[in-house]
Amino acid sequence: MSASPHSLPLELGAVGAASARVADYLREAILGGEIGPGDRIRQEDIAERFGTSRLPVREALRILEAEGLTEHEPNKGARVPKLTMHEVDVIYQMRERLEPLALTESLAHLSEQDLRRLDQVQSRIEANTDVNSFLALDREFHLLTYSGCHIDPLTSMVRRLWNSTQHYRRAFVSLGGPGRMWVINAEHRLVLDAIERLDPVDAERYLSGHIRRTRIELDRHPEVFEGRQR
Amino acid sequence: MSASPHSLPLELGAVGAASARVADYLREAILGGEIGPGDRIRQEDIAERFGTSRLPVREALRILEAEGLTEHEPNKGARVPKLTMHEVDVIYQMRERLEPLALTESLAHLSEQDLRRLDQVQSRIEANTDVNSFLALDREFHLLTYSGCHIDPLTSMVRRLWNSTQHYRRAFVSLGGPGRMWVINAEHRLVLDAIERLDPVDAERYLSGHIRRTRIELDRHPEVFEGRQR
DNA sequence: TGACACACGACTGGATCCAATTTCTACCCC
DNA sequence: GGGGTAGAAATTGGATCCAGTCGTGTGTCA
């Protein structure tokens, strides 16, 4: 059930030794869709499955809470938060405003190798036909463009916004596909071109437009937020 | 500044877990300046001072880490992060982009009582002459304008940005005051007027301008970031 | 006298045990 | 038969104990 290659570069949350492994496992399980919004997470279940005590699990849940992947109620345990359409809309507006800043901060620090990698990922997106792998590729593309940003609060917040909406992105993509792929590819290519020209103004312009268009398209599909999972 | 004795009233929560009380205590101590950037926080010290075991302290440190008040290194313990001028500058740019959104989301949900309260706080700012109480009043003013925003990721991120820069705001205010008070008051009054008119465009305009001007003024005082504390 | 190595001290990470709170269920009374 | 209450099972929160790791100080040898 694990073994899903959601592993991305830039593992920033370098925390304790084994509690980080539990956090990694749970993170993959949530981002991979095995644990959905509303699902409860019992400490002892995870501890037993992992062969550890409940203590690392508790720490891991705190870490995930900081990343926006779980929510915590005293004496009630942890569960994956369920978001309304309006909440997801506002989160996309936050992305619209924050990610262009992260991109500008990242621009000057991107290496030649990063640019080549970005081009490869975008080419794979264009050649791709599977909706599920589009999810991972798109995520990799965007987070890679921010990998040159070394301002910790900014990168961690961007990551958190992606994490919080991952489930609804998958639901959206599964229900009719991500939309017209040529639009997405054109937007990505324009962002890439601006990055290569080291032009922060154009980079921010095309990136915010890309996110905004996605948000508006998402707003037209309320069924994404009513789907019963599991 | 205030050298050492960590003596704060710790009567915040009769309810909830004990780890939340420890977190409250540490949060106040950091925001109040008793624990400054670079200071190390030893689990056993806090536990002994609080009469509990180290476990709630560990959980509290995780909570504070999520709020951006501490940073954690494996086997090295927790310390209050020390920010560079550029990092604070970027955090202010994040505020410039995020807080107007929070204000727009908040607008429709502000009650008449909130508006009266805001007017009172602003009047107290205008009548105030003490630089230290300005810090608290200004924080109260802005966070109050966002109190109608019920999108959890947004409010928690705004609060985190305020927390992270609190120490440098105090250092800035202490070193020569917050600048020309009439400018600040004019900006606040314009934001308030836009709020009362329920005009999100003007509210965002004047708020982002207020934050942007503060950021640029802060950039002219690099001595804020070189101050040796303790 | 200086540099390297070993040992000791201090601190964090993890496991097990115990207490407190919640929730579900069953039973009793109206 | 329905609702409320008490009790039992399940689950989380906290304390104590033990292990692992990092840093430091001292001692010895070249």
Side-chain angles (χ1 to χ4, degrees):
Chain A
M1 38 195 68
S2 63
S4 53
H6 272 281
S7 53
L8 273 182
L10 32 80
E11 191 51 50
L12 276 178
V15 231
S19 63
R21 291 171 54 114
V22 180
D24 288 340
Y25 171 82
L26 284 174
R27 188 183 300 109
E28 296 306 319
I30 296 174
L31 292 181
E34 301 165 29
I35 309 178
D39 287 353
R40 189 171 175 186
I41 301 177
R42 284 187 303 275
Q43 297 178 2
E44 193 151 295
D45 282 2
I46 309 298
E48 190 177 3
R49 183 191 305 265
F50 238 78
T52 70
S53 85
R54 275 171 33 227
L55 205 143
V57 180
R58 280 157 70 175
E59 305 242 339
L61 289 175
R62 292 280 185 210
I63 296 172
L64 295 179
E65 189 183 7
E67 297 175 10
L69 286 172
T70 61
E71 61 187 0
H72 203 80
E73 245 180 318
N75 289 324
K76 299 281 279 289
R79 41 178 69 246
V80 179
K82 204 180 295 185
L83 300 181
T84 67
M85 186 168 78
H86 181 239
E87 284 173 320
V88 172
D89 183 79
V90 172
I91 290 179
Y92 267 78
Q93 291 187 57
M94 295 170 68
R95 289 188 49 200
E96 244 172 273
R97 299 178 183 226
L98 274 190
E99 292 186 24
L101 178 61
L103 185 53
T104 290
E105 277 298 310
S106 174
L107 264 193
H109 303 101
L110 288 177
S111 67
E112 281 297 326
Q113 182 181 351
D114 291 329
L115 295 182
R116 278 195 302 274
R117 183 86 191 283
L118 273 170
D119 197 86
Q120 287 173 12
V121 173
Q122 176 54 27
S123 296
R124 285 170 63 194
I125 291 180
E126 286 160 359
N128 177 65
T129 57
D130 178 32
V131 288
N132 277 329
S133 53
F134 167 76
L135 222 65
L137 286 171
D138 187 54
R139 180 187 169 99
E140 185 177 357
F141 176 85
H142 284 283
L143 294 188
L144 196 52
T145 60
Y146 312 139
S147 63
C149 172
H150 300 128
I151 310 290
D152 187 71
L154 184 47
T155 55
S156 66
M157 283 193 186
V158 167
R159 179 178 304 274
R160 176 174 172 167
L161 295 178
W162 274 82
N163 286 349
S164 296
T165 54
Q166 171 84 348
H167 172 267
Y168 301 95
R169 289 181 63 239
R170 179 174 39 251
F172 176 52
V173 167
S174 301
L175 264 66
R180 297 153 301 168
M181 278 305 298
W182 73 265
V183 180
I184 296 175
N185 289 329
E187 289 163 339
H188 280 198
R189 285 294 178 189
L190 287 177
V191 169
L192 263 189
D193 178 65
I195 290 176
E196 283 163 2
R197 287 186 288 112
L198 293 180
D199 182 340
V201 176
D202 268 1
E204 292 211 18
R205 179 201 323 280
Y206 294 125
L207 176 59
S208 66
H210 174 52
I211 300 173
R212 175 184 158 82
R213 191 195 49 75
T214 304
R215 169 170 68 86
I216 291 175
E217 196 166 324
L218 193 55
D219 279 344
R220 292 206 210 92
H221 292 269
E223 69 271 21
V224 167
F225 304 93
E226 295 156 2
R228 272 272 55 72
Q229 54 275 353
R230 174 161 294 107
Chain B
M1 32 217 72
S2 70
S4 35
H6 300 256
S7 55
L8 264 187
L10 41 93
E11 47 171 319
L12 260 179
V15 277
S19 62
R21 299 221 317 265
V22 178
D24 289 339
Y25 170 82
L26 285 175
R27 188 183 301 110
E28 295 303 320
I30 296 174
L31 292 180
E34 302 168 29
I35 308 178
D39 287 352
R40 191 171 174 186
I41 301 177
R42 283 188 303 275
Q43 297 179 359
E44 192 148 6
D45 281 2
I46 309 296
E48 187 179 5
R49 186 186 306 268
F50 236 78
T52 70
S53 86
R54 275 173 30 229
L55 206 144
V57 180
R58 279 157 70 175
E59 305 242 338
L61 289 175
R62 292 269 184 233
I63 296 173
L64 295 180
E65 188 183 7
E67 297 176 10
L69 286 173
T70 61
E71 61 186 0
H72 203 80
E73 246 181 318
N75 289 324
K76 299 283 279 291
R79 39 179 69 245
V80 178
K82 205 181 293 187
L83 301 180
T84 65
M85 186 167 78
H86 180 240
E87 284 172 321
V88 172
D89 183 78
V90 174
I91 291 180
Y92 266 78
Q93 291 187 57
M94 296 171 69
R95 289 188 50 198
E96 242 171 277
R97 300 179 183 223
L98 275 190
E99 293 187 24
L101 178 60
L103 185 53
T104 290
E105 277 298 310
S106 174
L107 264 193
H109 302 100
L110 288 177
S111 66
E112 281 296 326
Q113 183 182 350
D114 291 329
L115 295 182
R116 278 195 301 275
R117 184 85 191 285
L118 273 170
D119 197 86
Q120 288 172 11
V121 173
Q122 176 55 28
S123 296
R124 285 170 64 195
I125 292 180
E126 287 161 359
N128 176 64
T129 57
D130 178 32
V131 288
N132 278 330
S133 52
F134 168 76
L135 221 65
L137 286 171
D138 187 54
R139 179 186 172 101
E140 184 179 358
F141 176 85
H142 284 282
L143 293 189
L144 196 52
T145 60
Y146 312 139
S147 64
C149 172
H150 301 128
I151 310 291
D152 187 72
L154 184 47
T155 55
S156 67
M157 283 193 186
V158 167
R159 183 174 303 273
R160 175 175 171 168
L161 295 178
W162 273 82
N163 286 349
S164 296
T165 53
Q166 171 84 348
H167 172 266
Y168 301 94
R169 288 181 64 240
R170 179 174 39 252
F172 177 52
V173 167
S174 300
L175 263 67
R180 297 154 300 168
M181 278 305 299
W182 74 264
V183 180
I184 296 175
N185 289 328
E187 290 163 339
H188 280 198
R189 284 296 177 188
L190 288 177
V191 170
L192 263 190
D193 179 64
I195 290 176
E196 282 163 3
R197 288 185 288 113
L198 293 179
D199 181 340
V201 177
D202 267 1
E204 292 210 18
R205 180 204 319 281
Y206 294 124
L207 177 59
S208 67
H210 174 52
I211 300 174
R212 176 184 157 83
R213 190 194 50 75
T214 304
R215 170 171 68 84
I216 292 175
E217 196 166 321
L218 193 54
D219 280 343
R220 292 206 211 92
H221 292 268
E223 70 270 21
V224 166
F225 304 93
E226 295 156 1
R228 277 269 57 70
Q229 54 272 355
R230 173 160 294 108

